[in-house]
Structure formats: structure tokens, C-alpha cells
Amino acid sequence: MKYFFLSILLFGSILVGEAMNSTSNLHHKKVALVLSGGGAQGLAHIGVLKAFEENNTPIDLIVGTSAGALVGGLYASGISVDQLEKMAKDGTIMKLFLGRNDMSDIPVWQRSEKSSGKFSIRKSDERISGPPGLLNDQLIWRDLFLLTAPANHLAQSNFDSLFIPFRAIGANIIKQKTVVFGSGSLTEAMRVSMSIPMVYPAVVKNDAILIDGGIYNNMPTDIAQNLGADYIIAVNVDDTPPPIEKMKDIFDYFDLFSSVLFSPTDSVNVSGWNYFINVDTDGFNIFDFSAGEALIERGYDSGSKAAKNIRKIINRQQDSNKIEERRFKYQNALIEKSIKQIQWIDHASGKVIGDEYEIFTPFNYSAYKIHSIVNSLYATNIYNLIIPELSMNGNILKLRVRKKATIQMIPEIKINSVNGFNLSGDWDYHFADNQYSLRSKVGVGNYNSDAEITFSPNKFILPYTKHRSRMIWKLGVFGNYQTYNDFNNSQNIYHFASGFGLSVHRLLSWNQQFIASINFHANRWVNIEDTLFPDNSEALYPVFNLRYENNHIHKVSPNPEGWKLDANIISGRYESNYFTGIQGQATIGVPFKNKYHFGMDVSYQTMSDPAPLELFYPVNLPTAFTQTLFVDTFSYSSLNVSYYITRTFFRDDVFLSVNFFNTYLENRILDVNDGWISGMDVSIKYESILGPIELGWSIFDRNDYQIVSWTKLHIYL
């Protein structure tokens, strides 16, 4: 009997010993972190990573799908949690996802022509086609490359040799199967994985159409198992969409569509993990990129609870000093690397082509320089897509380029309770040799309709090339129709204008230019007081402009950031008399603590008789009175000072603004006293991915401080 009890005791001790051994041996095992997709909700992954770092939770492998691949890939390339958090809060990741440039990405000579969106309709090879995706991916390719190139080079394109071994999950919809990226271009792997159908263009490669990995595998725990992971931590950030009766907007419906599309791989229903973290992202949709701070906080809360439990199981900690040393090594792997050659590759065929431009080589690699080269190539108006890559030895910069279609159109919609609605389209026609293009902007509205056509050369480029053309010419034709209300709203005032001209831009730098132009105008005012303008039409009159612009505004929405100086000298001949004028403007916008933003705009002008009204700067007034008081508040001399304070309100993409206007007028058009007029706007703006929606109230002392409400809707695609 005693042998029986001894055997039981021995067997029990073996079981306990093995259990203890299995737990203690986890510090010898591979720990994998699997990150689900979820669009903007994937920003919560940053919070989970932050909690893991604070608790010294080891990560030996990261496997990510879609947003999980983006956050996981950046982290695996050596970008710190602090950097990721900053990128989420300052809008860098939102800009990356939405594919929209900052104003500073566009050369100064094109900023006045900039369209808000990139949704385009194209005609090429006798075919008319829509965009391959709702959002443009030019910026995504560029910025993903700049963020990951050093680590990808040091790892020699082997994802097992990254700062943390990594896998990105894509989907091949031709073969209807999951694609696992473990080598090659880290940029391409992450770009494929985030290709949400209809939102981003699919990546076509080797007869395969590659899209978001969430189609077949939104929680790739099986991939982690196949790679030999012993302990798998799965993180889900993709919430369940609200029921039909609680749908609020188009983004809720898109969430519902996405959940149906990805339902075969619903993250919550996937097994194969040892620890499951379900981050509560209820109330956020897949486009809520501006809610980065709140999403990170949600991820941090869930990650902190999990990390404390996991720490009891995994008896292993990371050496933070060694981690930072390795991170520095991966983030700076290309310092002093010399780029000795530029190789141009056709995007469709993959074949090397002749030099499109002779870029000066050799030069030391820098993210700033590559960024500038790509931006300047886009500025030629020739290329639809530029994908930068590095050769294995890092000495060759490869540029995979795709040229624009023959005809391209970008639509834009503006609706304003004060100025009515306007539907516009930017058109580009490229000639066969791509040396020249015909560009036009046509807008139709109930208060304002206009058309502008310009003809100019394409091939100009500024930095780092032998084609350092500093002179740009544009030949244009324009027409405009506008309706205004007089002060008493008793009748409408109509203005018709047309003309043609030539402008020459002398480029001083990416942000500075001189413009000399000669334009011939013809215009007609209807219902304006005949006593002021007994003959207010002129068949054709010349106007000469000499303008200097120094523009360092790098962001325009929701508030301008940076500064800008603009000076303009005008002269011309009208009604057989000569006139002259001086105009100037200074703008500054700065963010400061506690989510506040301050901006100021100062403008001055003085014009001699008989300068036509259409050449004047408009006076800055509260929004609701701009149209009504247009004629009343125009003068031959004016000084405008306006300033505003904006603060995020309720959530990160909702802004409360107070804007003050002060204007000094002399020699007004109508017979009223000279002097100061003032007013203010108070508004609430929601900055959606389709454009801003704004509700405001205006107060103006010229009208006994009457309060007038107004609304604005600006949709760009």
C-alpha cells in the first residue's frame, strides 16, 4: 500500500514540477503579438504597445493585418511608442491613412491651384474610368518608405531580422487566399495589408491583385503558430457596428459593410491564442483618425490590465537600455549612406527606363532629401504615382513611376448658407509627349460661377536636378459670374468678368516666388449705382501685376499653421486713365498648449482712381455679412486686422472658434462715414474625412450688432 501512495506522490510531484517548469520555461519561449485590423480603431494598438513596454512585456514576433500591420510594422522597424503616439496625436498617421499632402508638400507656384481631394475620373487609351479607390495612395507610398527604409535596409529585406521579427498579412483575391509577407519591401507589405477594398487602390503585382489581409485573416493567430510561437497574445480592436436603428451617418454604414465583408475572419471568433485582449472601441468608426488620443487611451487601459496578468505567466523582462541601443541602430541605419545612382522603373512593366530627369548624384541619404525629390517630381504634373525603393546595398534609389492619364478630373462641392452652392471640377489634359498640359477649373453655382483655362509646360523641377528651371510661364483664359446683395437687400448686383493673360513665375525656392503678369480684362456691373459708375463697363483693359510671395503655410485644415507674406503692385489703364495700387497681406497660425490654436491675418491696400472693383482685395468681415455688404464695405484704401482662437471641443475633430474682425476704411464706394468697422464669428466645425461641416453665428456693428447664423459644407473627394 505504501508503494501505491509513494507512486501517487511521485506522479503528483512530476505533474507539479512539469507545470512549474512549463511556466518558468516561458522565458525561453517565443512570445508573439498578433494585431487585428480595424482602420482608425487600430490606433488603439499603440496604447497596448505602450502598456507592454511599461510592464517590460517581451515581444519576439509581431503579426499584423491592415491597421495592425501598419502599427506593428512601424514598431517592428524600430519606431518607438512615443513616436507613434506623437504621430497619432499630431495627425501624421491620419494624413498617412487618408493620403493627403500638407500644403508644404506642394510648391508655392501650385498652391493657389491646389484641389482639396484626389478622387478623380480619368480618360486614357480611349477608356473612361473612375478612381481605383476612394483615397489616393501617393503620400502613403512615400511616407511608409521614409519611415521604414533604414530598418528594411539593415535587415536586408528579411523581416526576421527587423528590430522585432514581423509578418504582414495581405489577400490575393485572384487565388482567394491569404498572403504572408516575410521579406522584400516592408513598405509594400504594409501598403498591401492596409488596402481596404474600395477605399484604397489594390496593389497589382505578378498577375496578383493584393488587398487588405482582413478579407481572409483579420486575426492571424495561425500564422504566429506556423512561425513557432509558443505564447500568442491576440489583440482585437475591431468593434461590432451598431444595429440598424442606431446608424447615425455614412461611416456607421461603412462599418456595417466592413463587418459583413470581413465576417468570415471576425477577430473575436478566431482561436489559437493564449491570451486575448479585446479593446473596447465602441463609439469610434474606421475613419476616426482624429480620435487618436482617445483610442490610444482605450488600448492602454486594456493593455495595462493584460500586461499585469501576462507578467505573472511570462517570467522574463527586457533590458530597456539594450532595446534603445538596438532601436537607435535600426532607425539610423542609412546615416552617411551614399546614393550613387537613380534608377527609373516603369510601374506597369517593371522594366528599367531611361532617366526622366537627371538628379544629381552621389548624395548622402536623408529622409528630407528623398521627400523633396518625390514632391518635386509630383510638382511636374506628369506623374500619377511614384514609389521609391532602395537597392539591397542601399546605393541605388529606385523610382517606380506611373504617368497620369490623358484626361483627369477632380470634383469638389461647396454649400454655404451665405454664398450658396458651388460644384466645381479640376480638369487636366496631357498632350501625348507630356511636355505640356491644358488645365482648367470650372465651377457652377447660384451665386458664383467661374471658369479658368491655363496652358503651361510640365517639365520643370527645382531641387537636386540638372533641370533647374526657375522660370515658369502660364497662358490663361478666365471668366466669372457673381451675384451680390446690396446693403438693404432690395436688389441683386451682378458682375460679369472675362479676360486672358500671361504670367511668368520666377522661382526663388520651394516657398518663394516672384510673379510678373499681364492680363486683359473685360467686365460689367449690373444694378450698381449709376451715380458712382456712370460708365462701369470697359470692352478690354490691361492690368500689369508684379507680385512677391513667401509662403510657409504647411497646413490649412482645420486651421492654418505657419506664416505667409504676400505683396502685390498693380497698374493698368481703365476708362482712358491710368491707375496704380499696392496690396499686401501677412498671415500667421500657431498651435499652443491645451489644444488651442491662434491665428492672425493683416492686409492693406490703397488704390487710385479709376481702379476697377474686381481688382480690390475683399474686406475681411463676419461670414454672414460678406455677401450682403460686399459693395458697401469696399474702399480704395483699407486696413484689415483679424485674429482668432480655436480649441478642440468635445472630440479631436470638432473645433470651437472665435474670430474677430477689425477693418479701417477710407473713401468707400458708397456715401457712408470712413473709419473702423468690426464684428466677430463664433463657429463649431466638424472636420470629417470628406470635408468640413461648419455652423456659426456672426455679429457685426454696422448692423446694430445683429446676430445672424450661417452654415457651411465643403465636400472634397
Side-chain angles (χ1 to χ4, degrees):
M1 180 65 68
K2 69 176 182 179
Y3 293 109
F4 174 77
F5 284 112
L6 283 172
S7 63
I8 293 294
L9 185 62
L10 180 61
F11 181 72
S13 65
I14 291 172
L15 288 178
V16 172
E18 290 215 1
M20 293 179 63
N21 189 53
S22 63
T23 302
S24 62
N25 278 344
L26 274 177
H27 69 276
H28 296 302
K29 303 288 178 115
K30 181 187 290 187
V31 179
L33 184 65
V34 179
L35 307 177
S36 78
Q41 296 160 329
L43 295 175
H45 289 311
I46 299 173
V48 174
L49 290 169
K50 181 179 180 180
F52 278 24
E53 276 200 359
E54 288 183 0
N55 287 273
N56 288 322
T57 305
I59 302 172
D60 304 307
L61 170 68
I62 297 177
V63 183
T65 294
S66 194
L70 178 72
V71 174
L74 294 177
Y75 189 71
S77 65
I79 295 176
S80 68
V81 166
D82 288 343
Q83 288 174 286
L84 289 173
E85 193 170 9
K86 182 178 182 297
M87 290 165 62
K89 291 179 180 180
D90 67 12
T92 300
I93 289 184
M94 178 174 70
K95 186 183 74 169
L96 187 68
F97 263 101
L98 299 183
R100 291 187 180 144
N101 286 299
D102 283 336
M103 186 65 76
S104 57
D105 291 327
I106 303 165
V108 65
W109 61 90
Q110 292 181 349
R111 290 175 196 174
S112 61
E113 306 167 0
K114 178 182 180 291
S115 294
S116 301
K118 291 294 184 181
F119 183 97
S120 61
I121 299 170
R122 306 176 177 94
K123 179 184 181 297
S124 185
D125 299 327
E126 306 304 321
R127 289 172 43 190
I128 297 177
S129 61
L134 178 64
L135 301 177
N136 189 279
D137 62 344
Q138 291 178 353
L139 181 147
I140 299 172
W141 283 106
R142 184 199 70 194
D143 284 7
L144 281 180
F145 169 78
L146 295 175
L147 288 166
T148 61
N152 202 44
H153 169 70
L154 186 60
Q156 289 293 282
S157 301
N158 180 358
F159 296 178
D160 284 330
S161 299
L162 290 169
F163 173 69
I164 297 175
F166 172 70
R167 294 294 185 273
I169 307 302
N172 184 341
I173 58 173
I174 298 296
K175 296 184 177 180
Q176 298 185 14
K177 69 175 186 178
T178 294
V179 178
V180 181
F181 292 92
S183 62
S185 168
L186 183 56
T187 298
E188 184 175 75
M190 295 163 65
R191 171 64 187 84
V192 167
S193 191
M194 61 182 285
S195 297
I196 302 173
M198 297 187 297
V199 177
Y200 303 103
V203 177
V204 180
K205 185 176 182 180
N206 299 330
D207 299 323
I209 299 178
L210 305 172
I211 61 171
D212 193 303
I215 291 289
Y216 302 128
N217 201 342
N218 199 43
M219 181 64 82
T221 53
D222 58 322
I223 306 302
Q225 289 175 331
N226 295 340
L227 292 169
D230 301 295
Y231 193 84
I232 297 174
I233 305 167
V235 184
N236 175 60
V237 297
D238 194 9
D239 70 327
T240 303
I244 294 294
E245 63 272 13
K246 293 186 178 180
M247 292 286 179
K248 300 187 298 295
D249 52 34
I250 187 174
F251 305 115
D252 284 337
Y253 283 98
F254 203 95
D255 267 353
L256 177 62
F257 166 77
S258 298
S259 69
V260 172
L261 189 65
F262 298 131
S263 60
T265 61
D266 190 337
S267 304
V268 179
N269 297 327
V270 173
S271 59
W273 41 263
N274 299 95
Y275 198 101
F276 187 81
I277 303 173
N278 189 46
V279 181
D280 177 17
T281 56
D282 186 39
F284 300 96
N285 61 63
I286 64 173
F287 291 112
D288 260 338
F289 297 105
S290 59
E293 190 169 0
L295 284 163
I296 291 172
E297 191 65 31
R298 295 271 186 102
Y300 179 76
D301 290 341
S302 299
S304 295
K305 296 174 185 176
K308 291 174 184 176
N309 294 327
I310 294 170
R311 189 174 179 180
K312 297 175 184 176
I313 302 170
I314 304 174
N315 187 22
R316 171 159 59 101
Q317 292 189 3
Q318 304 180 96
D319 187 327
S320 57
N321 291 329
K322 289 184 178 179
I323 287 174
E324 289 307 313
E325 288 176 7
R326 291 187 68 244
R327 177 172 280 133
F328 180 85
K329 180 180 177 183
Y330 276 87
Q331 284 293 285
N332 295 277
L334 288 171
I335 287 182
E336 297 184 356
K337 172 62 70 173
S338 177
I339 304 295
K340 297 180 179 178
Q341 181 185 349
I342 306 293
Q343 192 175 83
W344 298 80
I345 300 172
D346 179 71
H347 181 272
S349 66
K351 295 180 179 178
V352 176
I353 56 179
D355 288 353
E356 298 276 297
Y357 290 96
E358 292 185 66
I359 299 173
F360 285 119
T361 54
F363 61 85
N364 285 342
Y365 175 91
S366 78
Y368 174 80
K369 185 165 285 190
I370 304 298
H371 185 278
S372 299
I373 289 172
V374 173
N375 284 349
S376 61
L377 289 172
Y378 278 129
T380 63
N381 203 39
I382 294 176
Y383 302 102
N384 179 260
L385 184 64
I386 301 168
I387 301 176
E389 298 173 352
L390 280 181
S391 62
M392 194 68 74
N393 61 12
N395 293 331
I396 301 175
L397 174 64
K398 301 179 181 180
L399 298 174
R400 283 200 285 150
V401 297
R402 181 177 67 209
K403 294 186 176 180
K404 285 187 174 181
T406 306
I407 301 177
Q408 185 164 298
M409 189 275 282
I410 300 174
E412 195 164 354
I413 302 170
K414 294 181 181 179
I415 301 174
N416 187 323
S417 63
V418 178
N419 297 323
F421 77 90
N422 187 271
L423 172 63
S424 64
D426 288 344
W427 297 79
D428 273 7
Y429 176 83
H430 291 266
F431 292 89
D433 57 4
N434 262 316
Q435 293 288 328
Y436 300 93
S437 66
L438 198 62
R439 304 166 198 166
S440 66
K441 184 178 181 67
V442 180
V444 178
N446 60 336
Y447 281 99
N448 182 19
S449 298
D450 58 353
E452 182 179 359
I453 302 173
T454 58
F455 175 75
S456 64
N458 280 329
K459 287 201 171 185
F460 53 83
I461 192 169
L462 189 61
Y464 315 124
T465 73
K466 297 179 181 178
H467 295 265
R468 298 178 64 84
S469 173
R470 293 185 177 270
M471 302 294 289
I472 302 169
W473 59 265
K474 298 180 181 180
L475 184 64
V477 180
F478 58 88
N480 179 263
Y481 156 76
Q482 287 180 288
T483 304
Y484 306 101
N485 301 118
D486 71 356
F487 178 71
N488 297 314
N489 290 308
S490 58
Q491 64 181 358
N492 287 331
I493 298 170
Y494 304 99
H495 177 232
F496 303 88
S498 60
F500 62 91
L502 172 68
S503 65
V504 178
H505 299 239
R506 168 64 177 173
L507 312 177
L508 303 178
S509 69
W510 190 257
N511 297 305
Q512 292 186 78
Q513 65 174 339
F514 276 112
I515 306 173
S517 63
I518 176 70
N519 294 281
F520 293 88
H521 294 248
N523 78 97
R524 174 72 178 174
W525 290 87
V526 178
N527 288 342
I528 200 168
E529 292 193 13
D530 292 335
T531 55
L532 291 173
F533 297 94
D535 182 13
N536 55 66
S537 66
E538 184 81 10
L540 205 64
Y541 64 92
V543 179
F544 175 77
N545 287 75
L546 185 61
R547 179 181 165 204
Y548 169 73
E549 181 181 1
N550 193 343
N551 189 332
H552 292 265
I553 300 291
H554 59 85
K555 181 180 178 182
V556 293
S557 183
N559 301 296
E561 290 184 13
W563 60 273
K564 174 184 176 182
L565 294 175
D566 205 327
N568 191 20
I569 299 174
I570 301 174
S571 65
R573 182 179 174 86
Y574 187 74
E575 295 180 346
S576 302
N577 293 304
Y578 292 99
F579 64 86
T580 58
I582 298 174
Q583 298 172 332
Q585 185 174 18
T587 302
I588 186 172
V590 292
F592 56 98
K593 63 179 182 178
N594 296 327
K595 301 182 180 180
Y596 283 94
H597 188 281
F598 173 79
M600 187 172 184
D601 186 272
V602 178
S603 63
Y604 171 78
Q605 70 174 337
T606 179
M607 305 284 285
S608 68
D609 281 331
L613 280 178
E614 61 271 13
L615 300 180
F616 287 27
Y617 272 2
V619 175
N620 285 339
L621 291 174
T623 302
F625 299 94
T626 303
Q627 196 78 321
T628 302
L629 302 177
F630 180 88
V631 176
D632 179 52
T633 55
F634 253 57
S635 69
Y636 287 105
S637 296
S638 67
L639 172 65
N640 300 287
V641 180
S642 62
Y643 49 93
Y644 63 88
I645 296 177
T646 298
R647 191 191 192 283
T648 54
F649 171 72
F650 177 61
R651 49 180 284 162
D652 291 346
D653 52 0
V654 178
F655 302 86
L656 177 65
S657 296
V658 181
N659 198 347
F660 301 92
F661 303 89
N662 297 278
T663 301
Y664 186 81
L665 301 174
E666 291 182 356
N667 193 18
R668 298 194 196 188
I669 300 301
L670 297 184
D671 187 18
V672 291
N673 294 327
D674 294 339
W676 286 96
I677 58 175
S678 60
M680 66 183 293
D681 277 346
V682 178
S683 64
I684 297 174
K685 179 190 289 187
Y686 168 52
E687 190 74 16
S688 76
I689 67 164
L690 295 179
I693 302 169
E694 196 168 4
L695 172 65
W697 298 265
S698 296
I699 305 172
F700 189 50
D701 68 352
R702 181 65 178 83
N703 208 23
D704 298 325
Y705 298 103
Q706 177 185 356
I707 299 177
V708 180
S709 63
W710 48 269
T711 56
K712 287 182 180 180
L713 172 64
H714 183 183
I715 299 174
Y716 46 75
L717 299 173

